[in-house]
Amino acid sequence: MSSPNRDKDGNPLIQRYTKNERSNHWITAICFILLAVSGLAMFHPATSWMAVFLGGGQWTRILHPFIGLVMFVSFAILVLRFWHHNRMDAADKQWLRQMDDVLNNREDKLPKIGMYNAGQKILFFVLIASMVGLLLSGIVIWRAYFSFYFPIEIVRLAALLHAFSAFVLICSIIVHIYAAFWVKGSIGAMVRGTVTYGWARKHHPRWFEEVVRKSRD
């Protein structure tokens, strides 16, 4: 039986995320779920029953924007933590050109990937744009504090932007979750914080080499 700190081949597990990074991620994720259900509850009568998750319609309207602020701050911290890992480079462009190999799991034919691949990096920037759109539009339509400062035309446009940004964000998170299940071991990395040598070497070989090189210095 292998040690809890080692993989089945006896290699030490590699830390991918620290406790603070994982906590930061799950705070953002929990806020997203609460915002998605409460936002949908206010968006259309067919989904109004979702208001039950935040204590009813009135509490949903009160809490939704405050939870939104918490999510934005938590996400902003994640962006600061992982910004340097998400800059596009030549390997990422080549990865995108080989999308057929990506979709058919021919990872041996792909260029060496760092901590994140090009798809994850694109998603990262889509999430940033969506979050900024939600924050700015959310402030404009926040009736209790800000909306009376803006003309009705701006409030209406902000409402449209808020709905569009939320739609893009929800679709992006669905893609994010699907990819996490598709690449076995990804969810475990965000739960336990560690990955095996084999997982790192297969899915993120350049990052794996950097980690091994640092461990030997």
Side-chain angles (χ1 to χ4, degrees):
M1 184 179 294
S2 61
S3 164
N5 295 319
R6 293 181 176 274
D7 63 20
K8 62 182 180 61
D9 298 318
N11 296 310
L13 297 176
I14 298 174
Q15 184 178 59
R16 186 160 173 84
Y17 299 110
T18 65
K19 290 180 180 178
N20 286 339
E21 290 167 348
R22 299 199 308 276
S23 298
N24 195 176
H25 171 273
W26 290 116
I27 289 171
T28 306
I30 291 169
C31 287
F32 165 78
I33 293 170
L34 293 175
L35 288 167
V37 297
S38 59
L40 288 170
M42 293 185 287
F43 183 73
H44 195 275
T47 51
S48 61
W49 61 270
M50 291 185 178
V52 69
F53 292 107
L54 286 183
Q58 189 163 347
W59 274 112
T60 294
R61 287 190 294 274
I62 292 170
L63 294 175
H64 182 86
F66 287 105
I67 296 172
L69 289 177
V70 173
M71 182 177 74
F72 184 86
V73 171
S74 180
F75 180 74
I77 295 171
L78 277 177
V79 170
L80 293 175
R81 288 180 186 276
F82 298 114
W83 180 269
H84 63 290
H85 290 299
N86 284 278
R87 290 187 293 235
M88 298 290 284
D89 56 30
D92 295 316
K93 294 175 183 177
Q94 181 60 36
W95 188 91
L96 290 170
R97 284 193 287 267
Q98 294 181 233
M99 188 54 61
D100 184 60
D101 291 325
V102 173
L103 296 176
N104 287 284
N105 289 322
R106 294 192 288 262
E107 294 183 84
D108 56 306
K109 295 184 178 181
L110 296 171
K112 289 187 176 181
I113 298 302
M115 188 166 187
Y116 298 111
N117 61 45
Q120 291 170 310
K121 292 178 180 180
I122 290 172
L123 181 65
F124 178 78
F125 289 107
V126 170
L127 292 177
I128 291 175
S130 300
M131 290 284 191
V132 171
L134 285 169
L135 176 69
L136 296 179
S137 59
I139 289 173
V140 175
I141 63 177
W142 196 347
R143 292 183 179 276
Y145 299 103
F146 303 108
S147 65
F148 49 81
Y149 289 117
F150 301 93
I152 189 63
E153 293 82 5
I154 298 298
V155 174
R156 288 170 177 167
L157 286 173
L160 287 174
L161 175 61
H162 202 73
F164 175 75
S165 298
F167 174 76
V168 173
L169 180 64
I170 290 171
C171 290
S172 299
I173 295 301
I174 290 173
V175 171
H176 176 58
I177 294 171
Y178 175 79
F181 279 102
W182 186 26
V183 181
K184 186 178 179 181
S186 298
I187 293 177
M190 191 51 76
V191 174
R192 298 184 300 271
T194 57
V195 294
T196 64
Y197 261 50
W199 187 94
R201 187 168 46 226
K202 178 180 179 182
H203 300 297
H204 300 272
R206 193 172 68 199
W207 174 72
F208 167 76
E209 291 170 2
E210 291 170 357
V211 170
V212 171
R213 186 164 55 249
K214 287 179 182 178
S215 67
R216 291 173 178 170
D217 290 342

